[in-house]
Amino acid sequence: MPQNNPDVIHLEDYRVPDFLIEHVELHVDLGDGGTRVGSRLTLRRNGEHGRPLVLHGEGLELLSIALDGKSLAAGRYRLDDETLTVEGLGAEAVLETECRIDPDGNTALEGLYRSNGTFCTQCEAEGFRKITWYLDRPDVMARFRTTIVGDRTTQPVMLSNGNPVASGTTGDNRHWVTWEDPFPKPSYLFALVAGDLAVVEDSFTTRSGREVALRIYVEHGNEDRCGHAMTALKHAMAWDERVYGREYDLDIFMIVAVSDFNMGAMENKGLNVFNAKYILAKPETATDVDFDGIESVVAHEYFHNWTGNRVTCRDWFQLTLKEGLTVFRDQQFSADMNSAAVKRIADVQRLRAAQFPEDGGPLAHPIQPQSYIEINNFYTATVYEKGAEVIRMIHRLLGTDGFRKGSDLYFERHDGQAVTTEDFVAAMEDANDADLGQFRRWYVQAGTPRLICSGDYDAADGSYLLTVRQETPATPGQPEKAPLHMPFAVGLIGRDGADLPLRLAGENSAEAGTRVLQLREAESRFRFVDIPERPVASLLRGFSAPVRLEFAQPAEDLAFRMAHDSDDFNRWEAAQELQNKVLLGLVADRRAGRPLVLPDMLAEALGTALDDDGADPSLLALMLTLPGEVMLAQHMEVIDVEAIHDVREFAVKALAERLRDRLLARYRACHAAARPGFDGASMAARHLQNACLAYLSQLDDIGRETALAQYRERRTMTETMAALARIAASDWPERDEALADFHAAWRNDPLVIDKWFTVQATAARADTLEHVLALAGHEDFTLRNPNRVRALIGAFASANPTAFHRADGAGYDFVAERILALDASNPQVAARLIAPFGQWRRYDKARQERMLNQLKRIVSQPGLSKDVREVASKSLN
Ligand code: PHE
Ligand code: ZN
């Protein structure tokens, strides 16, 4: 990108708005042949200046315009593709406009669009300008009053933010309703929904005794799939009161589930709009992973009411202010509702799978980016997931009470304001008298730091010297990196498996357990004294910082930690490290033409874990599951797609043979213990049951039998899908029949049919691409539904490395072609499919060239969207 590209928006160019909007009155007339939007803006000049009013607006057909009650002649305003300019405003002014928009033709799903007949809006980040002319920036906060007019038969339900204050009918079978939101808000939090929807109702009494009506709106027939979302919402409301002292502030909280949605969900004030995937669930249709996803997304959007809505972002460079913080809050919440260790592992897996590659590739950016072309491209794993890790580190450094003091001060100072990440950090500092000066670098420095550690035990004086060097690799535009301040949680384990008391040289007393050290320098040394025997070090406990730990620990120590580490996260991590070590060793053997032999040590360590009846079955399931191909690839200089795949398959099969009886016993016990439903014990049992099945299905005799029986039993979707995944990847004669049977059973259930597409797109088979090509032509496939696109194309490109990276390049060709086709209708979703191509540097020369050719093909397409152009051209670097 050239430096002076006028499309590039820079943080350093931020200026306060020229005008403020005090009040907005909207009149939205939903009709056939287009929707008419009337708007009445009460404006105030912001400061002493003579600049004109420049409003954002895209794709709007102007019907009328008036200033202070007088219709404006053509020469008094200027209209172009993206703005409406009006000169000669006084210090206070009222601007009225009327325009026509076309929700039915809106395939980008931004602004006002229709999903299965229901009108709905998506305004973050810059969608409101597709509804009417406005100062569409988050630092302009206004009070909204919205009147919706619609058909009584097709739009019996008409919703917007706040409270309904008036309604009536107008003849012609039409009716209207007016909503008023008492809280000033930026336009990105505006929402409107109209359609024929069913409602599921409940209520919540806040701790100050106010009763809040809770309503979930869904398409008719889905009323029996809202229970889990409703329970999650009530839990989230109570949790935010208890943990953050935050109460809900309106009398109604509404959620609407829609089928066509670009992202997961949206926190519009009082009227959250959700991708149906994150609301609708019952055990027959949704997996346990879906249930967990619903709980966390419902909570996430609810938590935004304070972190995002009451206190919002000054500009979009501050996105992590609301997203990093709110992800951290939803992670804390889910950890409290379920197993904290299992939740932490899932969060770290996600960070490593999505954020680490981003941070090490051409699209690397700090959690607070310095520039962008299309803001939609910055709803990234870095802003969200790494952003949450940065907040988590502040929490660790200040402690639970200190963090709460900081958040209280943040809300007290900034309620009703649009602020910056700096305001958040300053509140944390001021409330704790802490110094986060160096810590601020996390906001502006991209790249995943490496922590290179070594430990030396000195038997003569009974001391253990821990040396930690930190190094952050260069990222685009940031060749030099400065050392970061981070919490580094460690423990030293004695021969009996218990944590040793830790005392640093110069300190008076020791404490057993985990110790949080602070790293600030490029190299730090810590000398622990009174260590009676050579300890086994457990470093970066709980993943206390988002880094890559490099610590050469012998396999025996890893196996020991798998059995004894008092930190559950690190028990799992030790298993992962041991498995990485073994699998990468096998990859080297295969590349050197040596025969593959599974080391006894791994089978023994996993066997010991399987024997531990007292362990959390979910944690055990995670420990048993070998790192995936995408994870293993991260450890290779040049990724050898085939070797990784073959070696992993070999290891799973070899382990299945070695551990057969114990796997089978555990499988049966879990199957007997699990009950359908969302109770922790049953979910954990199913998790372990399916982890065992993944091994057992490699055994020709018992595997096929077990997988088919589990599939045919149709007990819960979690079990059905785990079995179908094994069947879809197999050559068993029942394969085609099972896939056809599943489709026939669920053909009217889009969320389940998505799973049917994904299970085939991710099957590890030589002919997967051919199947995927056929599926792309299936009558149920459409590029118009983002979930369906992600289910087939997204899953194929990001979760099936051997098929996507097929040596002949046909996988690349298929995905690039769909990206181009999709760009014409939905640029935002198209741009998100490009990420796997951005990893081209990690592959061999032949693949590099093929991936680059596809990126070049994309960039050279005429009429490309800003979204796709930005990601594809940056990916070439
Ligand atoms: N703000 C939403 C969330 O994280 C995400 C989102 C962004 C949804 C842009 C739609 C469009 O909670
Ligand atoms: Zn969010």
Side-chain angles (χ1 to χ4, degrees):
M1 285 294 134
Q3 273 295 292
N4 53 3
N5 183 338
D7 288 339
V8 182
I9 315 224
H10 296 273
L11 168 57
E12 63 190 24
D13 293 341
Y14 174 83
R15 280 199 305 136
V16 298
D18 284 344
F19 289 85
L20 300 174
I21 302 177
E22 248 134 48
H23 192 260
V24 191
E25 193 150 340
L26 292 176
H27 186 94
V28 181
D29 195 331
L30 305 164
D32 294 323
T35 289
R36 286 162 82 102
V37 181
S39 143
R40 184 176 190 276
L41 306 180
T42 308
L43 296 143
R44 193 158 50 80
R45 190 174 293 273
N46 190 23
E48 297 275 315
H49 66 81
R51 288 185 290 275
L53 171 70
V54 183
L55 299 176
H56 303 109
E58 282 175 29
L60 313 172
E61 181 195 341
L62 183 65
L63 300 176
S64 69
I65 177 166
L67 184 62
D68 298 324
K70 287 187 214 81
S71 158
L72 277 186
R76 289 285 313 278
Y77 64 91
R78 207 166 57 247
L79 200 57
D80 67 28
D81 282 354
E82 297 188 353
T83 56
L84 168 66
T85 304
V86 185
E87 311 264 355
L89 264 69
E92 287 175 3
V94 173
L95 185 77
E96 287 163 284
T97 61
E98 205 189 355
C99 67
R100 195 187 342 254
I101 54 177
D102 175 22
D104 286 297
N106 182 348
T107 58
L109 313 186
E110 220 186 14
L112 179 66
Y113 65 96
R114 271 178 119 160
S115 174
N116 271 353
T118 299
F119 286 95
C120 62
T121 55
Q122 174 50 47
C123 294
E124 188 177 4
E126 299 180 336
F128 192 73
R129 63 188 65 185
K130 296 181 166 189
I131 297 173
T132 187
W133 288 279
Y134 201 75
L135 287 171
D136 192 12
R137 44 186 288 170
D139 57 354
V140 172
M141 299 170 81
R143 276 175 302 112
F144 281 67
R145 183 181 165 96
T146 304
T147 299
I148 312 168
V149 189
D151 183 271
R152 284 166 75 178
T153 310
T154 53
Q155 289 105 35
V157 172
M158 300 194 294
L159 314 171
S160 190
N161 318 85
N163 305 303
V165 293
S167 63
T169 54
T170 62
D172 264 11
N173 197 39
R174 290 173 71 73
H175 66 151
W176 59 273
V177 54
T178 299
W179 291 80
E180 198 161 81
D181 183 355
F183 292 94
K185 64 167 175 290
S187 49
Y188 83 88
L189 292 172
F190 170 80
L192 177 155
V193 171
D196 183 6
L197 297 170
V199 62
V200 174
E201 294 189 78
D202 206 329
S203 74
F204 177 83
T205 306
T206 69
R207 64 172 177 182
S208 68
R210 272 188 322 104
E211 189 169 312
V212 180
L214 309 178
R215 301 190 186 136
I216 300 183
Y217 293 89
V218 293
E219 287 172 14
H220 290 283
N222 285 331
E223 295 90 327
D224 64 338
R225 300 187 190 191
C226 300
H228 186 61
M230 189 67 91
T231 304
L233 174 60
K234 289 190 281 183
H235 285 162
M237 293 178 87
W239 187 90
D240 213 17
E241 292 182 351
R242 185 158 47 79
V243 178
Y244 283 86
R246 299 292 121 196
E247 219 178 285
Y248 187 62
D249 50 13
L250 285 164
D251 298 332
I252 319 173
F253 186 81
M254 296 172 285
I255 286 177
V256 181
V258 299
S259 304
D260 305 276
F261 201 76
N262 285 346
M263 309 276 275
M266 181 63 211
E267 70 264 24
N268 317 301
K269 182 77 187 188
L271 177 55
N272 289 187
V273 176
F274 271 64
N275 184 328
K277 176 179 164 59
Y278 291 108
I279 294 294
L280 304 180
K282 53 184 178 181
E284 305 88 81
T285 63
T287 65
D288 293 340
V289 169
D290 297 329
F291 273 79
D292 279 338
I294 288 167
E295 185 179 62
S296 83
V297 179
V298 167
H300 178 98
E301 306 311 331
Y302 174 73
F303 295 154
H304 268 315
N305 191 53
W306 277 95
T307 50
N309 302 4
R310 290 288 287 256
V311 183
T312 194
C313 299
R314 186 192 73 174
D315 55 75
W316 293 119
F317 294 101
Q318 319 300 327
L319 186 57
T320 200
L321 171 75
K322 74 177 177 82
E323 296 304 346
L325 177 54
T326 305
V327 170
F328 173 66
R329 276 153 50 72
D330 84 54
Q331 291 177 348
Q332 280 184 301
F333 166 74
S334 295
D336 280 359
M337 295 294 119
N338 308 295
S339 155
V342 168
K343 176 61 181 160
R344 185 66 186 134
I345 292 166
D347 292 339
V348 173
Q349 284 180 320
R350 189 178 168 129
L351 183 83
R352 285 179 173 154
Q355 200 275 329
F356 278 19
E358 183 170 272
D359 225 356
L363 297 166
H365 53 277
I367 65 168
Q368 179 165 79
Q370 298 295 300
S371 71
Y372 60 76
I373 292 178
E374 172 51 64
I375 184 58
N376 285 333
N377 288 331
F378 284 83
Y379 287 78
T380 60
T382 298
V383 167
Y384 275 67
E385 264 72 39
K386 186 176 181 180
E389 293 297 323
V390 169
I391 301 294
R392 185 180 292 272
M393 288 190 283
I394 296 179
H395 186 273
R396 249 243 214 218
L397 290 169
L398 301 179
T400 302
D401 294 344
F403 190 83
R404 171 66 192 269
K405 277 193 231 152
S407 69
D408 283 350
L409 183 61
Y410 172 68
F411 294 124
E412 184 187 316
R413 278 184 183 169
H414 300 297
D415 187 10
Q417 298 176 6
V419 305
T420 63
T421 59
E422 173 53 31
D423 293 317
F424 179 82
V425 177
M428 285 288 154
E429 266 181 331
D430 295 350
N432 288 280
D433 209 2
D435 177 4
L436 295 172
Q438 184 187 356
F439 186 86
R440 283 173 172 74
R441 283 181 187 150
W442 282 103
Y443 283 87
V444 292
Q445 193 165 283
T448 307
R450 296 164 58 209
L451 288 192
I452 302 133
C453 303
S454 60
D456 277 307
Y457 180 62
D458 184 340
D461 70 355
S463 74
Y464 183 84
L465 178 67
L466 178 62
T467 308
V468 187
R469 206 150 49 74
Q470 55 163 304
E471 247 177 62
T472 303
T475 53
Q478 291 190 337
E480 306 290 340
K481 306 286 182 173
L484 295 158
H485 177 197
M486 68 184 95
F488 185 55
V490 305
L492 296 179
I493 310 171
R495 209 163 292 154
D496 62 354
D499 282 334
L500 296 169
L502 297 183
R503 180 160 78 90
L504 286 170
E507 290 177 344
N508 298 325
S509 60
E511 255 177 73
T514 300
R515 169 101 189 220
V516 182
L517 305 170
Q518 302 209 14
L519 306 183
R520 287 194 182 80
E521 312 298 328
E523 184 170 306
S524 318
R525 287 155 179 270
F526 303 93
R527 182 178 292 280
F528 294 98
V529 296
D530 298 336
I531 306 292
E533 60 201 7
R534 186 189 80 86
V536 173
S538 173
L539 306 183
L540 200 69
R541 278 184 163 171
F543 200 70
S544 62
V547 299
R548 288 183 199 272
L549 179 68
E550 296 177 17
F551 182 49
Q553 205 161 28
E556 300 71 47
D557 286 6
L558 294 170
F560 179 81
R561 282 177 46 214
M562 274 175 71
H564 299 294
D565 204 315
S566 64
D567 184 272
D568 279 343
F569 175 87
N570 264 20
R571 281 185 71 192
W572 169 77
E573 185 81 320
Q576 287 282 298
E577 281 180 42
L578 180 58
Q579 291 159 0
N580 273 329
K581 210 192 227 339
V582 167
L583 291 167
L584 294 168
L586 290 172
V587 167
D589 290 342
R590 183 186 180 276
R591 290 172 62 88
R594 291 188 288 266
L596 299 184
V597 184
L598 188 82
D600 289 341
M601 145 146 286
L602 181 59
E604 279 158 19
L606 293 180
T608 306
L610 270 167
D611 286 342
D612 179 359
D613 287 325
D616 172 355
S618 219
L619 188 63
L620 176 51
L622 290 165
M623 285 175 63
L624 278 182
T625 306
L626 301 181
E629 293 175 26
V630 178
M631 270 352 248
L632 286 164
Q634 291 196 14
H635 295 276
M636 289 192 81
E637 194 76 36
V638 178
I639 297 172
D640 186 334
V641 182
E642 285 94 4
I644 289 174
H645 177 73
D646 292 353
V647 155
R648 192 177 184 283
E649 297 264 283
F650 161 81
V652 172
K653 183 154 194 191
L655 285 166
E657 282 160 358
R658 291 276 306 265
L659 300 171
R660 178 192 169 104
D661 294 342
R662 280 185 277 189
L663 287 164
L664 203 53
R666 274 295 189 139
Y667 176 89
R668 290 183 176 140
C670 289
H671 183 266
R675 298 278 160 268
F678 187 74
D679 71 278
S682 291
M683 288 175 79
R686 277 193 291 275
H687 195 176
L688 181 53
Q689 175 189 330
N690 288 332
C692 293
L693 179 68
Y695 281 104
L696 293 168
S697 61
Q698 300 300 311
L699 304 175
D700 284 327
D701 52 351
I702 188 88
R704 173 169 156 210
E705 205 179 287
T706 312
L708 288 170
Q710 179 167 322
Y711 174 72
R712 287 177 181 146
E713 191 185 18
R714 295 206 183 182
R715 205 161 58 150
T716 58
M717 188 52 84
T718 306
E719 290 163 285
T720 305
M721 282 316 299
L724 190 61
R726 307 327 312 168
I727 297 168
S730 77
D731 286 319
W732 302 331
E734 295 85 351
R735 178 183 189 273
D736 292 349
E737 186 196 313
L739 286 166
D741 162 78
F742 187 91
H743 182 269
W746 298 107
R747 59 187 320 144
N748 296 320
D749 203 315
L751 295 173
V752 181
I753 292 299
D754 287 339
K755 298 179 193 302
W756 181 78
F757 278 99
T758 298
V759 84
Q760 298 177 76
T762 53
R765 297 167 56 94
D767 59 359
T768 289
L769 178 60
E770 283 68 28
H771 287 296
V772 169
L773 281 165
L775 287 168
H778 190 279
E779 60 171 343
D780 288 345
F781 186 74
T782 169
L783 287 175
R784 286 295 159 91
N785 178 262
N787 287 354
R788 195 56 50 89
V789 169
R790 286 184 281 256
L792 183 66
I793 303 167
F796 174 79
S798 67
N800 195 339
T802 43
F804 177 64
H805 293 285
R806 229 167 81 155
D808 65 1
Y812 304 148
D813 191 61
F814 165 72
V815 176
E817 192 178 305
R818 304 297 140 159
I819 290 171
L820 288 174
L822 183 58
D823 189 45
S825 56
N826 191 329
Q828 197 181 332
V829 174
R832 288 181 168 268
L833 295 174
I834 300 169
F837 288 103
Q839 297 295 310
W840 59 272
R841 260 179 225 284
R842 307 291 322 281
Y843 294 87
D844 53 81
K845 281 275 169 290
R847 284 189 173 86
Q848 285 196 359
E849 201 182 303
R850 293 198 147 99
M851 294 172 86
L852 276 170
N853 282 341
Q854 297 296 345
L855 285 170
K856 288 179 192 153
R857 169 187 175 195
I858 293 172
V859 175
S860 66
Q861 167 100 343
L864 209 59
S865 70
K866 255 196 217 178
D867 306 58
V868 167
R869 177 173 310 285
E870 178 177 30
V871 179
S873 56
K874 285 181 176 171
S875 297
L876 282 164
N877 295 322

